[in-house]
Amino acid sequence: MTANGWLQILVFCGIAILLVRPLGGHILRVVEGQRHGLSRVFGPVERLFYRAAGVDPVGEQSWRGYALAMLAFNFAGFVLLYALLRTQQWLPLNPQGLPALSPHLAFNTAISFVTNTNWQSYGGETTMSYFSQMVGLTVQNFVSAATGIALAVALIRGFARRQAQALGNFWADLTRVTLYILLPLCLPYALFLVWQGVPQNLLPYTEATTLEGAKQLIAQGPIASQEAIKMLGTNGGGFMNANSAHPFENPTALSNMVQMLSIFAIGAALTNVFGRMVDDEKEGWAIFGAMGLLFLLGVGVAYWAETSANPLLQSAGVDTNLEGKEVRFGVPASILFAIITTAASCGAVNAMHDSLMPLAGMIPMINMQLGEVVIGGVGAGLYGMLLFVILAVFIAGLMVGRTPEYLGKKIEAREVKLTVLAILAAPLCILGFTSLAGVLDVGLVGLQDKGPHGFGEILYAYTSAAANNGSAFAGLTANSPFYNTTLGISMLLGRFAIIIPMLAIAGSLAAKNTVAPSPGTFPTNNGLFVALLVGVVLIVGGLTFFPALALGPIAEHFALLQGSRY
């Protein structure tokens, strides 16, 4: 570990904190339907969309109506994207003449981008046409991110409203988030990336002659436009197979820092939106504080582990692990990116996680297994953390022997049961499919490595899918009917098995009246609550996943100490 490395981490944290309040204020004005600087520019477009779709933006929906609208929209997106990928060879903007995707790969990819997971069982530049990248994947990058933000706002309304039967209008929330938040931020962001050296064109790939006289095909295309929403919407699906390690996606140290900041920007700002909507900004800062503690803990452990020498290479004088990293970024920027992208449900990578030291590779895995509540995906991180908040106040209520309360709302049996259902959905999916893949030949055949590292490849894949992250250990060959199908099911369960109970909780809370605080009310906007919340997140995650981690990265770590990789 070096002073320069820690300085990079501190600069990132400082800028990220400074963005929370101003961006949170803009998001609040947008989702509350207030006038703001962009109303005059995009207002006519918004109203045109409502008229064309026959939507009344003022008419609000119950939690069931909100959920049904969200499910219908996502199902339609899946069907259209699947059809596009299966007919790619007949569609325009395909200068390389790339063929259609196989049924199982199209199934996996369509689910992946609709659920904001962006897991990729393919190499982008050798599989996807420009039309598929722009009309299929980039569009879903926008609307899947907007869906997550809309859902988080719906849950916040559940806490903020009193004796209400509605949570807002999904169609209005989706439209406003896309028009007034995502698009205005992505336009200058894409131009910035072009300035930094990211291509944005529709030209065929360029054939170049190397110094050795060999022919090399250099892929290019409309990369900057997809890169912007890929990061800002915590999507993570790379235009190139090497993702943000590729110089055409992430060419400079400045672009690397801006990409990391954009991954956290909206998710962090939503904590401020929460505080403002419940009329107590301290509540939002308490949640942000819990997220920040978990993030710094993960960065510290991973940075220490990655700068520790590999015992098998110490005799050769190697004192740090540079395998799988871009030298232009080095260890600090690579580790910081790895923790940010798995804390925030993005899945973009600027280094290969398969090459990390065992304990350093374990931290991204843990970030996802905790439910990606450390900032998390846009919207998804906040509503995931609020589920743990409900669990934390329930535990606090048990300790003092009174009905738990949060923001004046009684947390009763219905909310606690739905919370437990939502929290356990992803772990059951992860551990179930990992066990299945670990004993079936169709699962084992895709492994690059044996022993604990091979087990870690399987565990990481299903963790990434169910957590809707999309990053990979990169050692697993996942483009097979078995993995594409089971990972696709994992993505669906990881997204919607949490969303539906969460919306039911929001509907239940919105219908309740608030009660005045009493001397026995547990305060939830101070350091004690932050510590309790962090403890609950770590204990639940630890109890659930420690046995699996012990078979994978922990076992690999001790094997290295004993002089063997396995």
Side-chain angles (χ1 to χ4, degrees):
M1 293 189 285
T2 65
N4 178 270
W6 282 111
L7 180 62
Q8 292 182 52
I9 294 169
L10 291 175
V11 168
F12 167 81
C13 292
I15 299 175
I17 292 171
L18 290 176
L19 291 174
V20 169
R21 206 168 186 279
L23 185 54
H26 175 65
I27 295 173
L28 176 69
R29 289 187 288 273
V30 169
V31 298
E32 290 285 80
Q34 302 171 8
R35 290 195 62 81
H36 48 81
L38 296 173
S39 298
R40 186 170 296 180
V41 178
F42 292 110
V45 180
E46 179 189 1
R47 292 187 289 273
L48 177 63
F49 283 157
Y50 294 148
R51 284 197 297 271
V55 170
D56 177 14
V58 179
E60 296 201 344
Q61 300 163 317
S62 67
W63 79 263
R64 290 183 179 84
Y66 204 98
L68 288 172
M70 179 273 301
L71 290 172
F73 179 77
N74 280 267
F75 179 74
F78 164 76
V79 171
L80 291 172
L81 182 53
Y82 179 83
L84 187 155
L85 298 176
R86 292 288 291 133
T87 58
Q88 173 180 267
Q89 75 274 31
W90 299 317
L91 298 174
L93 297 176
N94 187 6
Q96 301 308 122
L98 297 172
L101 277 63
S102 65
H104 57 85
L105 180 57
F107 169 80
N108 179 280
T109 304
I111 288 177
S112 180
F113 279 79
V114 167
T115 59
N116 198 242
T117 307
N118 304 81
W119 169 274
Q120 294 173 284
S121 292
Y122 60 88
E125 64 268 47
T126 60
T127 307
M128 295 291 177
S129 69
Y130 295 164
F131 190 86
S132 295
Q133 294 274 20
M134 292 189 298
V135 178
L137 307 188
T138 303
V139 168
Q140 284 303 320
N141 282 349
F142 274 96
V143 296
S144 65
T147 297
I149 297 170
L151 291 166
V153 171
L155 179 57
I156 297 173
R157 291 182 184 129
F159 285 107
R161 293 182 174 182
R162 303 177 182 180
Q163 296 181 312
Q165 301 301 316
L167 296 176
N169 186 302
F170 172 76
W171 307 111
D173 290 339
L174 181 77
T175 303
R176 288 168 181 163
V177 168
T178 304
L179 278 179
Y180 299 123
I181 299 173
L182 298 178
L183 272 173
L185 289 174
C186 284
L187 287 172
Y189 190 2
L191 293 175
F192 162 80
L193 291 173
V194 171
W195 170 52
Q196 289 295 291
V198 177
Q200 179 69 22
N201 59 55
L202 298 175
L203 300 175
Y205 295 174
T206 299
E207 187 177 275
T209 303
T210 68
L211 293 175
E212 295 82 7
K215 297 296 183 181
Q216 179 181 356
L217 199 61
I218 300 176
Q220 56 193 327
I223 302 174
S225 55
Q226 180 166 321
E227 193 73 18
I229 187 60
K230 158 194 163 183
M231 294 303 190
L232 199 66
T234 62
N235 294 283
F239 192 98
M240 301 291 190
N241 189 36
N243 208 283
S244 288
H246 197 292
F248 279 3
E249 288 201 29
N250 190 10
T252 67
L254 178 59
S255 71
N256 191 65
M257 176 61 77
V258 172
Q259 287 189 15
M260 290 190 294
L261 288 168
S262 60
I263 293 172
F264 263 22
I266 294 177
L270 283 170
T271 62
N272 185 257
V273 175
F274 173 77
R276 295 189 191 208
M277 288 182 69
V278 300
D279 295 324
D280 187 352
E281 281 196 59
K282 289 183 178 179
E283 295 287 352
W285 286 115
I287 292 174
F288 181 80
M291 292 175 171
L293 282 176
L294 290 166
F295 170 71
L296 290 174
L297 180 62
V299 170
V301 173
Y303 190 22
W304 163 79
E306 199 61 19
T307 52
S308 301
N310 186 328
L312 299 181
L313 299 176
Q314 285 181 351
S315 60
V318 178
D319 60 359
T320 191
N321 180 29
L322 283 171
E323 180 189 333
K325 299 176 184 65
E326 287 287 295
V327 177
R328 59 201 170 101
F329 298 139
V331 172
S334 300
I335 282 296
L336 183 58
F337 202 112
I339 303 306
I340 290 168
T341 197
T342 51
S345 185
C346 181
V349 296
N350 75 348
M352 299 303 104
H353 294 186
D354 193 48
S355 296
L356 297 177
M357 294 294 289
L359 296 185
M362 181 180 69
I363 300 304
M365 211 180 298
I366 290 175
N367 280 342
M368 295 183 287
Q369 290 167 350
L370 294 179
E372 283 184 319
V373 296
V374 185
I375 302 301
V378 285
L382 179 62
Y383 64 66
M385 182 58 94
L386 287 174
L387 292 174
F388 277 103
V389 166
I390 292 173
L391 190 59
V393 297
F394 171 69
I395 292 172
L398 291 178
M399 290 191 291
V400 299
R402 57 175 289 150
T403 303
E405 301 170 12
Y406 185 60
L407 302 175
K409 299 288 182 80
K410 293 285 186 181
I411 305 299
E412 298 173 302
R414 173 179 168 80
E415 291 80 37
V416 174
K417 290 176 182 176
L418 288 168
T419 297
V420 172
L421 177 64
I423 289 175
L424 290 181
L428 289 172
C429 183
I430 294 167
L431 297 176
F433 278 121
T434 298
S435 301
L436 191 65
V439 298
L440 295 179
D441 290 340
V442 287
L444 297 173
V445 75
L447 293 180
Q448 171 183 277
D449 300 283
K450 60 182 179 179
H453 192 80
F455 177 80
E457 291 173 357
I458 297 174
L459 179 63
Y460 194 107
Y462 286 108
T463 298
S464 178
N468 298 137
N469 183 270
S471 64
F473 247 22
L476 179 70
T477 301
N479 190 12
S480 68
F482 173 78
Y483 276 113
N484 278 334
T485 302
T486 55
L487 288 169
I489 294 170
S490 297
M491 291 181 237
L492 283 174
L493 292 175
R495 180 77 160 178
F496 299 110
I498 295 173
I499 287 174
I500 302 305
M502 180 274 294
L503 285 174
I505 293 169
S508 177
L509 291 173
K512 295 184 178 185
N513 201 356
T514 55
V515 295
S518 67
T521 300
F522 181 61
T524 55
N525 58 6
N526 58 17
L528 177 61
F529 179 72
V530 170
L532 174 64
L533 181 56
V534 169
V536 168
V537 172
L538 291 176
I539 290 170
V540 170
L543 291 175
T544 305
F545 288 104
F546 180 77
L549 294 171
L551 293 173
I554 295 175
E556 185 182 1
H557 171 73
F558 284 108
L560 285 177
L561 293 179
Q562 295 169 7
S564 170
R565 187 176 181 188
Y566 302 114

